[in-house]
Amino acid sequence: MARMALLDDIGCPDDVRKLTTQQTEDLAEEIRTFLIDNVSRTGGHLGPNLGVVELTIALHRVFDSPHDPIIFDTGHQSYVHKILTGRAAGFDKLRQRGGLSGYPSRSESAHDWVENSHASTSLSWAEGIAEGFLSRGEDRTVVAVIGDGALTGGMAWEALDSIADQQDLRLVIVVNDNGRSYTPTVGGLANQLAIIRTDPHYEEALDRMKRHVTEKPLGKQVFGLMHAAKAGVKDALIGNGIFSDLGIKYLGPVDGHDVSSVERALELAKRYEHPVIVHVMTTKGKGFAAAEANEEDHFHAVGQIDPKTGESLKAAGGASWTHAFAGAMVELGERRPDVVGVTAAMLHPVGLAPFAARHPERVLDVGIAEQHAVTAAAGMAAAGLHPVVALYSTFLNRAFDQLLMDAGLHHAGVTIVLDRAGITGTDGASHNGMWDMVICGIVPGLMLSAPRDRQHLISVLDEAVDTDDRPTVIRYSKAPMPDDIPVVSSHDGLDVLREGSEDGILVVAHGQLCTDALKAADSLDVPVRVVSPRWSLPVCEGLLEEASRAHAIISVEDGLVVSGLGSHLADALSERGVWRPIRNLGIPQRYLDHDSRSAIMAELGLNAEGIAEAVAQLASQLDTQ
């Protein structure tokens, strides 16, 4: 790559502070070129970072990181921050084993205070850190950069309410207002921010008032009243009191692509030494024509792409679980007027967009608010609808109480469809969908299915929307959907995928891992019987019968092995007074470093080779007993 005159000499924020205003503008262009060139090769969150280039430069010129913590929410906006804090050289291995994380990472740099990969948490972190500094008498300012839809999350507003009562805190809240999360941000808050973004009269009126007042006798004294007048004018002109009503000082809106303007606002906020909101307007995908023209998500996250055209360079893979679900939902919508879709700012990523195109009045996008999504769905069920809530698996974690106490306790007929369940890989520990089966297993009466192919997915989705007395959950992988797997026989909720001695080794496979389990069985000389339940929870009668006859059992699942599906099977057998050797293959109870999905699965022994090795070891142990 050609030398970048300024960027190549940036090793820490001190280097950024030495630049002239013109140099900061040149640096911004170099950073955009750097991002496009590098992220197009590795994949990652391109659009959000192109939008915060000038903002991040200004942050590091005004504040002294890491002495002054800068917390990014959501954390995928932190690429420019990484570049300015000495990590540019690591971008050739972004989101790869041994390379940079796609989110802030404390193991990478002291400049990363919080590994903030789930949205709407930064303000709580920031208040807590600022409270700690205040208690210790430390002269430090905390900065929280919240945007890309994160203000639609309820936790952010809980924090704002609390911060408003803590006026001694040195806390600057930067609202990065790009009008979007994955797609255009929805909700009343978004509408209010849009009013501020688009009304030209606000700053014009203030400027006229300032000039008129200061030209008069006693003008300077009168101008001292402007602070109070400003809030009144703002509310009168644009009808917006969302921040002033909280009692937090508000500055803006500011052009987020003008380094000097952002610097001035941040300097004022820092000098104030109390909680301040700085409202910065940015454009997602700024400076990359293909991203700016992409109306769906402005290249929110990309795989490998052409750095000039933005076209994907990834060869077409197998069938997609998301695409199969999308088609099934459209068909359901035609047959079932009571079926509605619910999502949390991810209409396109989870596959609800085709359903929404057909039935726009039957889709609720709640923003980044999974808790609200699940409880609202329970309310819809109480009113006679059957909601299908589509989320990424990792985000169900945030709605556990609502699943347990609102959907579960009320026996609500709610279906939750979890995309990207199991190992996702490159986004790191927070985004692996490894917790959902443990969470769901706690909810009394809940039904959970991990479909193994398209036919299985469609059939359990049909059953789920026919279930009106309990929540149902369907989970599937990020990996390509396998071809339909032939079923040898079925009984009592269990499908037999491969014949074998009924009193030999029984392999119980769930979801995506059925294909690997069959490959493993075919590679062995040991007689292995492979079965897969239609619904993994509760444990079906057919599985209990098969397990009771087997000599030993191996459970194969792509979820947390502790309290996972194998554990549920062992507990159910124990209640019947049946003991069998059970080896549970799954994800260990630890946070996993970012890497490709295939590499992590191989490391955990959750591919065909690993499953075959586990079966062979168990068979050998049985032979020696």
Side-chain angles (χ1 to χ4, degrees):
M1 184 182 298
R3 172 174 169 79
M4 294 188 174
L6 293 169
L7 182 56
D8 287 349
D9 292 331
I10 299 296
C12 66
D14 284 343
D15 297 329
V16 182
R17 287 189 279 272
K18 296 173 183 176
L19 301 178
T20 66
T21 299
Q22 180 58 53
Q23 285 176 319
T24 63
E25 296 175 3
D26 295 340
L27 176 63
E29 292 309 306
E30 289 188 14
I31 290 174
R32 282 202 169 83
T33 299
F34 178 90
L35 285 171
I36 294 168
D37 287 346
N38 282 273
V39 180
S40 65
R41 288 198 297 267
T42 63
H45 288 93
L46 182 56
N49 288 285
L50 292 173
V52 297
V53 176
E54 290 86 358
L55 169 58
T56 310
I57 291 172
L59 285 167
H60 280 291
R61 285 168 65 82
V62 173
F63 298 99
D64 182 18
S65 174
H67 179 79
D68 296 329
I70 302 175
I71 301 168
F72 287 87
D73 184 354
T74 58
H76 62 236
Q77 300 178 94
S78 64
Y79 290 11
V80 184
H81 165 74
K82 288 175 183 267
I83 292 169
L84 299 181
T85 53
R87 286 172 275 177
F91 270 78
D92 60 335
K93 295 186 67 177
L94 177 69
R95 302 164 74 237
Q96 300 171 29
R97 182 188 291 267
L100 290 179
S101 167
Y103 295 93
S105 172
R106 291 174 297 169
S107 65
E108 286 180 10
S109 173
H111 293 277
D112 294 357
W113 278 73
V114 177
E115 301 185 15
N116 201 7
S117 47
H118 280 188
S120 311
T121 64
S122 64
L123 302 186
S124 299
W125 274 105
E127 181 185 3
I129 295 171
E131 286 276 10
F133 291 162
L134 179 64
S135 296
R136 294 164 61 92
E138 298 184 18
D139 182 17
R140 307 169 79 170
T141 301
V142 182
V143 183
V145 182
I146 184 165
D148 230 20
L151 265 178
T152 60
M155 186 174 174
W157 290 91
E158 293 176 29
L160 282 171
D161 183 61
S162 178
I163 290 167
D165 286 334
Q166 308 296 327
Q167 287 297 311
D168 290 335
L169 298 182
R170 295 184 58 174
L171 174 56
V172 176
I173 300 166
V174 179
V175 176
N176 172 28
D177 178 12
N178 61 14
R180 310 182 73 84
S181 47
Y182 289 86
T183 48
T185 305
V186 298
L189 170 66
N191 293 335
Q192 290 297 308
L193 290 177
I195 292 172
I196 303 175
R197 281 200 308 272
T198 57
D199 195 296
H201 304 300
Y202 173 37
E203 295 297 340
E204 292 174 6
L206 292 179
D207 288 341
R208 286 196 303 271
M209 183 183 293
K210 179 179 177 181
R211 288 195 303 271
H212 180 72
V213 170
T214 54
E215 290 171 357
K216 303 297 181 183
L218 300 177
K220 290 183 179 179
Q221 293 90 327
V222 174
F223 185 66
L225 300 174
M226 285 289 293
H227 171 68
K230 181 175 180 178
V233 171
K234 177 178 65 179
D235 288 346
L237 285 176
I238 61 179
N240 177 71
I242 55 174
F243 297 125
S244 59
D245 288 349
L246 286 169
I248 303 176
K249 174 71 72 177
Y250 170 87
L251 298 176
V254 179
D255 179 359
H257 299 299
D258 182 332
V259 176
S260 297
S261 295
V262 180
E263 278 191 52
R264 283 195 295 272
L266 293 177
E267 288 283 6
L268 288 171
K270 182 180 180 180
R271 197 179 309 152
Y272 185 58
E273 297 188 354
H274 301 287
V276 182
I277 289 173
V278 179
H279 181 192
V280 178
M281 297 181 296
T282 63
T283 299
K284 196 167 184 174
K286 175 75 172 178
F288 188 14
E292 291 187 32
N294 183 276
E295 287 299 321
E296 181 177 311
D297 66 359
H298 290 270
F299 285 9
H300 175 81
V302 298
Q304 293 180 325
I305 61 172
D306 184 297
K308 291 185 172 59
T309 67
E311 294 293 324
S312 174
L313 299 179
K314 184 178 179 181
S320 159
W321 287 101
T322 308
H323 186 264
F325 165 70
M329 275 296 292
V330 169
E331 293 179 10
L332 272 175
E334 299 299 323
R335 303 197 317 263
R336 294 280 299 266
D338 61 322
V339 170
V340 296
V342 181
T343 188
M346 299 187 73
L347 189 71
H348 291 273
V350 298
L352 277 179
F355 182 90
R358 293 283 193 97
H359 308 287
E361 75 288 353
R362 289 163 58 184
V363 173
L364 173 65
D365 186 341
V366 300
I368 304 178
E370 292 83 4
Q371 295 166 293
H372 172 55
V374 173
T375 299
M380 292 177 181
L385 300 176
H386 192 103
V388 177
V389 184
L391 308 169
Y392 278 5
S393 168
T394 182
F395 298 136
L396 180 65
N397 305 356
R398 314 188 71 170
F400 168 65
D401 183 69
Q402 289 68 32
L403 176 64
L404 179 67
M405 292 300 174
D406 295 328
L409 179 64
H410 291 82
H411 303 281
V414 173
T415 295
I416 299 175
V417 176
L418 301 177
D419 204 319
R420 303 200 179 195
I423 297 297
T424 57
T426 53
D427 280 330
S430 63
H431 277 57
N432 287 316
M434 55 191 277
W435 322 101
D436 58 90
M437 290 191 289
V438 172
I439 288 172
C440 291
I442 297 172
V443 181
L446 178 144
M447 295 169 58
L448 179 142
S449 178
R452 57 186 170 266
D453 54 29
R454 183 178 184 278
Q455 186 177 27
H456 190 183
L457 168 64
I458 292 173
S459 65
V460 293
L461 183 59
D462 282 341
E463 291 179 39
V465 297
D466 282 335
T467 302
D468 59 8
D469 61 348
R470 65 182 70 190
T472 53
V473 176
I474 300 170
R475 68 186 303 270
Y476 44 75
S477 173
K478 174 185 179 180
M481 185 173 60
D483 295 334
D484 284 348
I485 299 171
V487 175
V488 176
S489 62
S490 301
H491 64 95
D492 299 311
L494 186 73
D495 293 333
V496 178
L497 307 183
R498 187 180 191 272
E499 293 283 12
S501 174
E502 292 189 356
D503 59 355
I505 294 180
L506 179 71
V507 174
V508 184
H510 300 271
Q512 187 78 22
L513 293 178
C514 288
T515 300
D516 293 285
L518 288 169
K519 288 180 181 177
D522 290 341
S523 71
L524 296 168
D525 295 331
V526 180
V528 178
R529 188 172 174 86
V530 180
V531 299
S532 172
R534 288 182 52 72
W535 291 89
S536 298
L537 292 175
V539 179
C540 66
E541 184 65 29
L543 180 54
L544 289 172
E545 292 174 5
E546 291 268 359
S548 298
R549 291 192 293 265
H551 190 36
I553 303 159
I554 287 186
S555 174
V556 184
E557 56 195 276
D558 59 349
L560 196 66
V561 72
V562 176
S563 300
L565 300 178
S567 296
H568 280 274
L569 173 58
D571 290 343
L573 288 172
S574 177
E575 288 179 5
R576 292 192 170 197
V578 177
W579 182 89
R580 292 290 182 273
I582 297 182
R583 171 85 183 273
N584 294 327
L585 301 183
I587 302 171
Q589 192 172 1
R590 61 184 173 89
Y591 299 106
L592 304 175
D593 291 335
H594 57 275
D595 200 352
S596 68
R597 180 183 182 277
S598 59
I600 294 175
M601 295 294 279
E603 178 186 340
L604 299 179
L606 293 177
N607 56 6
E609 293 77 12
I611 297 168
E613 182 179 351
V615 173
Q617 288 177 352
L618 182 58
S620 177
Q621 292 168 1
L622 294 173
D623 288 341
T624 60
Q625 292 178 357

